[in-house]
Amino acid sequence: MKLNPSNACVYCGASGPLTDDHVPPRALFPKPRPDDLITVRSCARCNCGGSKDDEYFCDTLATRADAGLTHAAAKLWPKIKRSLQRPQAAGLTRSLATSVRSKELITDAGLYVGNVGTLLVDSRRIRSVIARITRGLYHVHFGEPLPYSDNVRAYGDDDLRHDPKLEKMIGNLITITTDSANHSVGDGSVFNYWFKRNETDTTVCSWVMCFYQSVYFVSFNHSITATGR
């Protein structure tokens, strides 16, 4: 699905030769991929510059314990294994290997199950991909780029666990945003999302994204000049 094509990159506003960029990354979807994948127009610099973060995002998401319970994510495991064995993927493989930590696994009932391997995720790279998806979806739905000077803030569940105030604020944002229509790609087993536009400042929009029916992220944009940041 290619909506509202533009002669400028949706991420940085650069003109010139543009290519199709998938939002979210195409690699999240096992084959056969759905025919309604979303693409936006991107300059080569932004498209190629985000490819390594996209790969990191897809690999870490599909191999999460909660996402891995879904059929769609499990179908990607052989492909991810082959990808990590490529010589050019040596850097990513080392990064993932050195990020594994041992962690106590305790059930919701408080029962100790044992130690399991857990991945210490690079949140900066994850948030970068969510921010790009946010900008892409904004352009798709509203026919214009999200203001290039705006910051896009992204949060996952790991960002909220140790900050009760932030967790409450994001919880309220999720409630407001998911009260709107649900959108999905394909059958919804890989990607669903909701968005809510601010009534007073229509350039401001909040987004809730769900991957593999289990992993959630929240994002929103705000003006740098308005916040002084």
Side-chain angles (χ1 to χ4, degrees):
M1 176 172 58
K2 188 190 302 181
L3 302 178
N4 303 311
S6 170
N7 59 357
C9 174
V10 300
Y11 304 123
C12 70
S15 58
L18 300 177
T19 58
D20 286 341
D21 189 32
H22 287 87
V23 287
R26 180 177 60 175
L28 288 168
F29 299 86
K31 294 181 179 180
R33 296 187 176 106
D35 57 8
D36 60 344
L37 296 178
I38 302 171
T39 61
V40 294
R41 301 296 284 167
S42 165
C43 68
R45 179 175 176 271
C46 287
N47 200 335
C48 296
S51 60
K52 290 186 178 180
D53 283 346
D54 283 352
E55 183 178 8
Y56 179 83
F57 180 85
C58 295
D59 289 354
T60 55
L61 225 65
T63 53
R64 278 181 52 142
D66 45 4
L69 296 175
T70 66
H71 181 64
K75 286 181 67 176
L76 292 174
W77 291 355
K79 175 180 177 294
I80 292 173
K81 183 178 179 180
R82 291 194 302 270
S83 176
L84 293 177
Q85 291 173 339
R86 294 175 301 149
Q88 57 267 42
L92 176 60
T93 304
R94 284 195 300 270
S95 174
L96 294 174
T98 57
S99 298
V100 176
R101 299 290 185 273
S102 179
K103 180 180 179 181
E104 291 184 347
L105 180 61
I106 300 175
T107 68
D108 293 338
L111 299 176
Y112 172 73
V113 177
N115 286 346
V116 296
T118 183
L119 193 65
L120 186 63
V121 174
D122 187 341
S123 297
R124 179 193 59 81
R125 299 182 74 178
I126 298 295
R127 287 193 290 264
S128 173
V129 175
I130 294 297
R132 290 175 68 241
I133 296 173
T134 299
R135 289 189 176 275
L137 292 178
Y138 185 96
H139 187 275
V140 164
H141 284 280
F142 302 120
E144 60 186 7
L146 190 153
Y148 300 118
S149 60
D150 277 17
N151 276 336
V152 176
R153 294 202 170 188
Y155 298 93
D157 52 1
D158 291 337
D159 299 313
L160 309 178
R161 288 174 181 165
H162 306 295
D163 191 333
K165 290 184 178 179
L166 179 61
E167 184 175 16
K168 182 178 180 180
M169 183 194 78
I170 297 300
N172 291 335
L173 190 62
I174 291 174
T175 300
I176 294 171
T177 306
T178 54
D179 190 43
S180 59
N182 168 248
H183 301 265
S184 62
V185 175
D187 62 5
S189 62
V190 174
F191 184 57
N192 290 271
Y193 64 98
W194 300 257
F195 61 89
K196 186 77 171 181
R197 215 172 188 182
N198 189 290
E199 294 180 357
T200 56
D201 183 352
T202 56
T203 65
V204 176
C205 194
S206 59
W207 304 78
V208 175
M209 306 178 196
C210 178
F211 298 87
Y212 302 121
Q213 301 177 323
S214 58
V215 185
Y216 286 83
F217 294 94
V218 180
S219 66
F220 62 93
N221 67 295
H222 64 86
S223 169
I224 298 174
T225 56
T227 60
R229 297 180 182 177

